[in-house]
Amino acid sequence: ELARTILSASSRQVIRSWISSSEFLDEHHDPVMLLMDNHATNSFRNLVQATNPEFAPTVVLNELLRKGVVEPLDSGYLMLRRSVYAPSQPRFPSDSRVDQVFESEDDIPRRRFNDAV
């Protein structure tokens, strides 16, 4: 949801490919780290080109770096931050609280002080 408001359409498409295309997922279905070296087979450039050959990899990468969506590692890899693709709190089924009746106000689930706003 947050990525939708802060990223361009092209960057959102690249992220969507990174988190959904089996070519860019590991055995646990998490996004793999990509090399920033354009000549490597598992490079960020290949991800962008696989998403849409008309996108400029440098432009997309600069936006993702500037917005803090990806993190460059000393090893030359680029890591997609987990907060971009994994929800920070468990999601409840859409009807889990809609028709629920609580006996008292103490039974109503409340946000903890340390929960994100």
Side-chain angles (χ1 to χ4, degrees), residues 67-87:
K67 302 285 177 93
V69 174
V70 295
E71 180 180 338
L73 304 177
D74 292 338
S75 61
Y77 280 91
L78 192 63
M79 180 180 68
L80 180 63
R81 291 185 183 264
R82 188 167 178 80
S83 59
V84 172
Y85 65 93

Side-chain angles (χ1 to χ4, degrees), residues 88-89 111-117:
S88 59
Q89 297 177 4
R111 185 179 295 277
R112 295 185 319 266
F113 287 113
N114 61 349
D115 283 347
V117 178

Side-chain angles (χ1 to χ4, degrees), residues 42-68:
N42 62 335
S43 70
F44 181 77
R45 178 183 184 78
N46 287 349
L47 167 66
V48 175
Q49 294 299 301
T51 302
N52 187 330
E54 294 186 16
F55 292 166
T58 305
V59 173
V60 174
L61 178 58
N62 286 339
E63 178 183 7
L64 297 179
L65 287 167
R66 193 174 62 252
K67 302 285 177 93

Side-chain angles (χ1 to χ4, degrees), residues 21-34:
S21 175
S22 61
E23 182 180 353
F24 301 104
L25 297 174
D26 66 13
E27 63 275 1
H28 303 290
H29 303 288
D30 289 321
V32 296
M33 291 189 289
L34 299 172

